[in-house]
């Protein structure tokens, strides 16, 4: 019987019937879509566009995570495979190898990782989590999976130790007991070391939790157990008794062996280090407080801060290294966290920028009974990872190849560009490499394990991140890697604030006034534009040559509003009528914003920051072309910029906020338009508001002061919270003034607005999420980072209680400015928070020479379209369904000194719609708002298709992207759904509940790009990349790096026959015989519960069934059998080598004493 693919059939039916009026439901809230006009209606596009995208092209999956692991807690290193593992407080594990080998895995429970232990050169990892569970991870696959889990029910895990080349894991608990786990079966052994048997019977107090476990390098049958109260027990595993005990007055934090197994060193809570000898355990034969002040003889040294960890590593040709963290003197409270390296008589203190979480010393040998020969120290800080080179006397650090400094300053915005011009990466890298820090170690990065190849994906990708300190970083993101290319510091165009000027400052934010809010980049022309939190826009041009020039700046007065009072006698009317109970006012959300300066002088016509007036040296790279600043008006600070767009072909930049729109010619350095949103409608204002631009009524200032003393509604109190995180920049952040600061409508205003469109809310109550607050849990550590987020205030308090209409989207395109225009012209599309779209024509000079001298005319046309919710994005398609790119100027170095290029001309690429003599439409315009998407045909302005994306939620991010050479609309909804719609029909293709929105950081940084790529900031320090392309999901395994590569374990050093015979050896110790079930018996079932993992055979049995499941199990069993045979072969070869060495030494000994008499011995 022939099988049908119903998904293909449904896709085909939808694509082949554009005239049907049926609507389709979606999971995001009963949304529906459908065409409004059949394809043959006069005045619309006649051609039937064949849409090729179907649901089979799409699948969502995470690809790779970049950045520093957020809130790290644990560290481990495999000295043979040379890979590093980092555990975090959120239950995540990051495994790092050579550049390109970067793997992220997550415990389902989300419990914090306490400790990590590699099975050295076995391709496995053991993790101990805070929910008292041990997990065994299989690293022999590109996506690690849990093979086994062991949940302790009655005891809490405090420390784990896995001896080299052993399959028995020692587990210490909070009660002081030590359990033993078989790594292969993950079953608890019946052998238990109880705390009351380990300590002396005469001891009346509990020794505390186990803080250290390690077997003796000299004898594997002896186990060293360290307890928190200062007791150390040397336990004989065979005789099941304590061979010796050590007592010290101070609590123990860590212990480490000398490689000969005769001495060990302890670190204590008083900042002391004690060195113990097994032959005299009554007292330490050496006690030092490295950072304590020297005292007189007979007096105890001054105590210091605890030494949290110490490592004691020996060298064959030099003094041993003693490396420890902490231990500084208490009188140096301001000193930063430090790592101390003691080598002989030299003591080096390395100060760190962040607290030390953990450190590990990397040694040449994995065998604990050989000279360790340390060569590097890996230091895990709270917000950084550094590696110190021990082979050089000045201890330089290695240059980190991983992007661990994404969070160097908090990320405030992101942009993602896939399939950009291929030469850009090389150009940016060549400029950025000149500014890299110097003084790194000249040796190769020591964490070099794993294997990675480029894979099939070859198109270039660039990620741009804006930061709170005003810096912008460009990253090469090609082939799922991330490497910084170039760093731009935008704050360099402004004067530094002098000490003592903070109170008289005009800044509208107290902290980080240079924080980047929005980014606009034209890769083809290499023009870059940013807007900052202090209401400024900077335009940069790229040049390979250094210049010294003055920075040109423009000031724009953009503070428009509606009349507060509509009455025949404004002089006698009170400034605010008595309707506060119905329309409560909002007040400034910033503690640093004042309407009147501290000296009593009203701030007016002054910018927030001061641009440098002297000539500035600009190195090669991005150089400031123009700075545009919004001004204070009548004591009111400028509102933050909510939308930004630039056209390199037109030489125009446009930006808007909740007051209005500004258009600037950055070629002639002139302001073309500065107009309130209300004035843009001209006579076509649907809401009939009375313009007042600019504000001149001083009466409002006193009224605002009175309002600030009145009670604030609960909704606005929530907006004021510094922990509330917001999204899209349509109003202002909690560190700046509210869009509706102290603003009310009079009763006359209310009645006039209510007369428009009976039955329809005048300001579309609850339809626009441009001003919707979302209360989410935010930790104290994220408060500062969240203060840069662009906000959405309450829909009731911002739209219904204030008639301000923010500019939320801007777009330059060659289009039809007016209805039924016959020719295209340069246009600016303007979208507002009330869902209105205005088309503004741009009258540009015809010739290239005139463009530098003749004025550009910008005047609103009165043409507008409408949608539900704030407008988010625009795009255009030609009549054949091809996506039209905005026009651009081809890049040319503005500072080129070539004499032959003095008379250069601008080379423009216009991308105009195909011209035709036929009467009809020539262009599709796609507009997406927070609630719906519409497709209009131009110039007839007929709405062809409409799709109500969501009714119960709102769209956070939307973008028209190219996928498989076809255009589609990608949306990310506040309810966590990712939706894809085919264009131009807006036919839903994909709707997946991908990510519950638990953090506004995700909404603020989520962005789509071409070729099925997207990203967002998953934590303050990490970027998560994902794909919605089925092809990339299928090829992802080939693109990821291999964590495990077959490497032979290095052979142990030949210790010599007599040293091995009389020096003690753990080779004869059989743990299997001692800990196995036959000897030790079974552990209590109530003590721990074994849980098969999804990567184990038991997990496979539960997940798979039928013939495929049996084949999978057979393949895994075959792999395990081959692995065991390989291990057996290696052990046999090792035994043969040992036998040969023994035979050789015995023969030499026989020859030596062959001819000697008995009395000569």
């Amino acid at each position: 019987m022939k099988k049908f693919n119903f998904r293909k059939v449904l896709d085909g039916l939808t694509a082949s019937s554009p005239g049907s009026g049926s609507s389709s439901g979606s999971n995001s809230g009963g949304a529906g879509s459908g065409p409004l006009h059949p394809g043959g209606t006069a005045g619309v596009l006649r051609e039937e566009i064949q849409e090729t995208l179907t649901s089979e092209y799409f699948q969502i999956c995470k690809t790779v995570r970049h950045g520093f692991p957020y809130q790290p807690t644990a560290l481990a290193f495999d000295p043979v495979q040379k890979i590093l593992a980092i555990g975090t407080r959120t239950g995540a594990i990051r495994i790092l190898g050579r550049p390109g080998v970067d793997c992220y895995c997550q415990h389902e429970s989300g419990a914090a990782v306490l400790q990590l232990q590699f099975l050295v050169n076995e391709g496995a990892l053991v993790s101990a989590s805070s929910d008292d569970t041990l997990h065994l991870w299989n690293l022999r696959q590109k996506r690690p999976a849990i093979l086994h889990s062991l949940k302790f029910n009655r005891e809490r895990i405090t420390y784990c130790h896995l001896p080299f080349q052993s399959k028995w894991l020692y587990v210490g608990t909070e009660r002081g007991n030590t359990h033993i786990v078989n790594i292969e079966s993950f079953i608890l052994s019946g052998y238990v070391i109880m705390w009351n048997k380990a300590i002396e019977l005469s001891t009346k107090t509990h020794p505390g939790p186990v803080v250290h476990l390690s077997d003796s390098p000299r004898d594997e049958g002896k186990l060293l157990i360290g307890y928190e109260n200062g007791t150390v027990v040397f336990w004989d595993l065979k005789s099941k008794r304590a061979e010796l005990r050590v007592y010290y007055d101070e609590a123990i934090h860590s212990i480490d062996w000398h490689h000969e197994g005769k001495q060990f060193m302890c670190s204590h809570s008083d900042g002391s280090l004690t060195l113990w000898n097994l032959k005299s355990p009554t007292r330490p034969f050496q006690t030092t407080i490295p950072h304590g002040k020297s005292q007189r003889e007979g007096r105890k040294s001054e105590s210091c801060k605890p030494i949290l960890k110490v490592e004691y590593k020996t060298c064959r040709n030099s003094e041993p290294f003693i490396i420890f963290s902490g231990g500084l003197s208490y009188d140096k409270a301001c000193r930063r966290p430090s790592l101390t390296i003691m080598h002989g008589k030299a003591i080096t203190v390395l100060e760190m920028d962040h607290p030390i979480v953990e450190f590990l010393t990397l040694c040449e040998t994995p065998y604990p009974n050989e000279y360790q020969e340390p060569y590097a120290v890996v230091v895990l800080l709270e917000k950084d990872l550094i590696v110190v080179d021990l082979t050089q006397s000045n201890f330089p650090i290695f240059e980190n190849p991983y992007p661990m400094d994404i969070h160097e300053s908090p990320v405030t915005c992101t942009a993602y560009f896939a399939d950009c011009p291929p030469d850009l990466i090389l150009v940016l890298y060549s400029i950025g490499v000149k500014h890299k820090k110097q003084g790194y170690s000249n040796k190769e990065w020591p964490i070099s394990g794993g294997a990675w190849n480029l894979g099939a994906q070859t198109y270039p990708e660039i990620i741009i991140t804006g930061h709170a300190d005003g810096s912008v970083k460009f990253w090469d993101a090609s082939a799922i890697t991330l490497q910084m290319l170039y760093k731009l510091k935008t704050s360099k165009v402004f004067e530094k604030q002098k000490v003592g000027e903070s109170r008289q400052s005009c800044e509208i934010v107290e902290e980080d006034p240079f924080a980047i809010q929005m980014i606009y980049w034209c890769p083809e022309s290499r023009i870059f534009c940013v807007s900052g939190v202090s209401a400024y826009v900077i335009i940069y041009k790229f040049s390979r040559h250094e210049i010294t020039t003055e920075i040109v700046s423009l000031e724009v007065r953009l503070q428009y509003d509606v009349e507060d009072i509509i009455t025949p006698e404004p002089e006698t009317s009170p400034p605010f009528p008595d309707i506060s109970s119905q329309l409560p006012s909002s007040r400034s959300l910033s503690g640093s914003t004042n309407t009147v300066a501290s000296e009593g002088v009203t701030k007016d016509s002054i910018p927030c920051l001061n641009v440098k007036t002297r000539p500035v040296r600009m190195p090669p790279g991005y150089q400031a072309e123009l700075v545009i600043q919004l001004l204070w008006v009548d004591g009111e600070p400028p509102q933050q910029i909510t939308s930004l767009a630039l056209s390199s072909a037109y030489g125009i930049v446009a930006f808007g906020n909740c007051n209005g729109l500004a258009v600037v010619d950055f070629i002639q350095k002139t302001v073309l338009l500065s107009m309130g949103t209300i004035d843009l409608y001209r006579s076509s204002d649907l809401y009939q508001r009375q313009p007042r631009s600019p504000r001149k009524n001083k009466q409002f200032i006193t009224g605002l002061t009175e309002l600030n003393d009145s009670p604030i509604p609960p909704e606005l109190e929530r907006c004021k919270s510094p922990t509330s995180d917001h999204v899209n920049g349509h109003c202002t952040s909690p560190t700046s003034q509210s869009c509706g600061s102290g603003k009310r409508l009079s009763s006359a205003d209310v009645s006039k607005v209510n007369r428009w469109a009976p039955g329809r809310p005048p300001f579309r109550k609850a339809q626009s999420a441009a001003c919707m607050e979302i209360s989410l849990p935010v930790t104290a550590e994220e408060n500062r980072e969240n203060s840069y987020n662009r906000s959405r205030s309450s829909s009731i308090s911002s739209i219904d209680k204030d008639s301000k209409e923010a500019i939320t989207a801007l777009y330059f395109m060659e289009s039809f400015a007016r209805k039924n225009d016959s020719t295209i012209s340069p246009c600016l599309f303007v979208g507002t928070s009330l869902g209105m779209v205005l088309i503004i024509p741009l009258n540009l000079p015809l010739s290239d020479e005139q463009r530098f001298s003749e004025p550009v005319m910008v005047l609103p046309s009165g043409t507008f379209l409408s949608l539900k919710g704030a407008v988010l994005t625009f795009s255009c398609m030609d009549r054949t369904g091809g996506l039209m790119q905005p026009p651009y100027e081809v890049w040319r170095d503005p500072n080129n000194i070539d004499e032959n290029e003095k008379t250069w001309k601008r080379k423009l690429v216009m991308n105009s719609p195909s011209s035709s003599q036929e009467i009809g439409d020539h262009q599709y315009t796609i507009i997406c708002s927070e609630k719906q998407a519409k497709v209009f045909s131009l110039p007839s302005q007929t709405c062809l298709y409409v799709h109500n994306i969501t009714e119960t939620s709102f769209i956070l991010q939307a973008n028209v992207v190219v996928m498989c050479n076809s255009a589609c609309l990608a949306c990310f909804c506040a309810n966590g759904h990712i939706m894809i719609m085919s264009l131009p029909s807006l036919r839903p293709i994909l709707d997946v509940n991908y990510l519950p929105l638990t953090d506004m950081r995700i909404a603020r940084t989520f962005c789509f790009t071409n070729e099925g790529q997207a990203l967002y900031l998953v934590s303050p320090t990490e970027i998560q990349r994902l794909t919605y392309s089925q092809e990339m999901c299928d090829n992802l395994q080939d693109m990821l790096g291999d964590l495990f590569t077959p490497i032979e374990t290095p052979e142990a050093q030949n210790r010599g026959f007599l040293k091995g015979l009389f020096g003690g050896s753990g080779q004869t110790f059989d743990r299997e015989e001692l800990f196995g079930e036959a000897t030790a018996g079974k552990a209590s079932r109530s003590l721990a519960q074994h849980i098969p993992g999804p990567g184990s055979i038991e997990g496979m049995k539960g997940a798979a069934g039928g013939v495929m499941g049996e084949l999978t199990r057979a393949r895994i069993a075959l792999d395990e059998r081959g692995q065991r045979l390989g291990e057996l072969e290696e052990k046999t070869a090792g035994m043969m080598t040992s036998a040969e060495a023994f035979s050789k030494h015995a023969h030499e000994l026989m020859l030596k004493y062959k001819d000697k008499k008995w009395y000569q011995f």
Side-chain angles (χ1 to χ4, degrees), residues 763-986:
F763 299 114
R764 301 181 183 182
K765 180 175 180 180
Q767 287 184 354
S768 174
C771 300
M772 183 178 296
E773 183 201 63
I774 303 177
S775 299
L776 292 174
V778 180
T779 62
E781 296 177 6
E782 299 170 3
N783 287 348
R784 178 170 175 264
E785 191 240 352
N786 290 339
S787 67
Y788 315 117
N789 301 342
R790 295 169 283 165
S791 71
R792 299 170 178 269
S793 59
S794 171
S795 62
I796 337 178
S797 63
S798 185
I799 290 186
D800 291 339
K801 299 173 187 175
D802 201 331
S803 57
K804 286 199 174 184
E805 185 175 7
I807 306 297
T808 58
L810 295 167
Y811 181 67
F812 288 99
M813 177 52 74
E814 295 281 302
S815 188
F816 301 91
R818 294 173 180 84
K819 191 170 184 178
N820 297 324
D821 271 2
S822 58
T823 58
I824 61 169
S825 62
C827 294
L828 171 62
F829 287 76
V830 181
T832 75
S833 58
L834 297 184
M836 303 304 298
V837 176
L838 300 98
I839 304 177
I840 299 178
L842 309 173
N843 189 0
L844 299 172
L846 297 177
S847 66
D848 195 47
E849 293 79 9
Q850 292 176 339
R851 179 64 186 88
F852 292 91
S853 57
E854 297 293 327
V856 177
M857 303 300 295
V858 178
L859 188 65
S861 64
T863 301
F864 63 88
L865 310 169
S866 65
L867 292 86
K868 287 195 301 182
V871 178
L872 298 180
T873 189
F874 300 95
S875 192
C876 289
M877 300 175 70
D878 59 24
R879 63 192 306 163
T880 64
L883 188 63
M884 295 176 57
Q885 299 298 330
Y888 62 87
E889 178 187 1
V890 177
W891 177 78
R892 177 191 177 276
D893 196 328
N895 303 318
N896 200 330
I897 57 177
D898 191 346
E899 296 295 329
N900 297 327
E901 296 187 12
K902 282 186 177 180
T903 57
W904 64 277
K905 291 186 177 182
R906 300 171 69 221
K907 184 178 179 181
L908 305 181
V909 179
M910 302 309 292
N911 296 324
S912 302
S914 56
S915 58
S916 174
Q917 300 299 323
E918 298 179 12
I919 299 176
D921 290 346
H922 302 279
Q923 191 180 53
Y924 287 108
T925 296
I926 301 101
I927 309 174
C928 183
S929 74
E930 292 173 325
K931 292 291 184 179
Q932 64 178 189
K934 285 186 178 181
V935 176
F936 294 90
S937 63
L938 298 181
S940 69
Q941 298 182 7
T942 305
C943 182
L944 294 180
Y945 302 96
V946 60
H947 178 63
N948 294 318
I949 301 173
T950 177
E951 296 292 344
T952 59
S953 186
F954 56 91
I955 302 299
L956 296 168
Q957 290 292 337
N959 198 11
V960 175
V961 295
V962 175
M963 177 83 172
C964 301
N965 298 319
S966 297
C968 59
L969 176 64
C971 303
F972 177 53
C973 194
N975 58 14
H977 285 246
I978 290 180
M979 291 162 280
I980 308 291
M981 282 152 278
S982 178
L983 293 177
S985 69
L986 297 177

Side-chain angles (χ1 to χ4, degrees), residues 52 135 155 269 281 311 324 333 373 388 408 494 502 537 667 723 747 769 775 840 869 894 968 1001 1029 1139:
T52 59
H135 305 275
E155 297 197 56
S269 58
E311 293 205 348
F324 60 88
E373 302 293 347
V388 181
E408 184 179 15
F494 299 106
S502 58
V537 172
I667 293 179
T723 60
S747 56
S775 299
I840 299 178
C968 59
R1001 184 188 307 103
S1029 164

Side-chain angles (χ1 to χ4, degrees), residues 513-583:
F514 309 112
I516 305 297
Q517 272 196 311
M518 305 187 77
I519 290 172
Y520 192 95
W521 189 42
C522 178
E524 290 80 10
S525 65
R526 301 184 188 176
I527 293 181
F528 183 66
C529 185
V530 299
S531 69
V533 72
S534 297
Y536 63 83
V537 172
I538 308 176
I539 300 170
Y540 290 89
K541 287 189 176 180
F542 188 84
S543 174
R544 289 194 175 102
H545 303 282
E546 179 180 312
I547 60 169
T548 300
T549 183
E550 292 187 0
I551 301 173
V552 182
S553 64
L554 287 176
E555 296 177 348
V556 178
R557 188 181 177 94
L558 189 61
Q559 192 79 19
Y560 295 83
D561 216 327
V562 297
E563 288 285 357
D564 299 308
I565 307 148
I566 301 178
T567 173
E569 299 175 1
E571 292 83 3
T572 60
S573 299
F576 294 100
D578 235 349
I579 57 169
S580 58
S581 59
Q582 299 155 355
L583 296 170

Side-chain angles (χ1 to χ4, degrees), residues 26-38:
S26 77
N27 296 335
S28 53
S33 67
L36 300 184
H37 299 275

Side-chain angles (χ1 to χ4, degrees), residues 1078-1150:
T1079 306
K1082 292 183 178 181
S1084 172
R1085 290 185 178 180
S1086 61
L1087 183 61
Q1089 177 187 0
H1090 176 259
I1091 306 170
S1096 66
I1097 295 182
E1098 291 84 352
M1100 293 289 184
K1101 288 179 181 177
V1107 178
M1108 292 304 297
E1110 294 295 335
L1111 289 174
T1112 303
R1113 288 193 291 272
R1115 180 178 57 79
I1116 292 174
L1118 189 61
D1119 290 344
E1120 291 182 353
R1121 182 173 179 272
Q1123 181 180 342
R1124 291 195 184 99
L1125 288 174
E1127 292 173 356
L1128 182 61
E1129 185 178 353
E1130 291 177 2
K1131 290 180 180 178
T1132 305
M1135 291 175 65
M1136 290 178 62
T1137 305
S1138 300
E1140 289 176 0
F1142 179 78
S1143 174
K1144 181 181 177 182
H1145 286 298
H1147 184 67
E1148 290 175 355
L1149 191 63
M1150 182 268 294

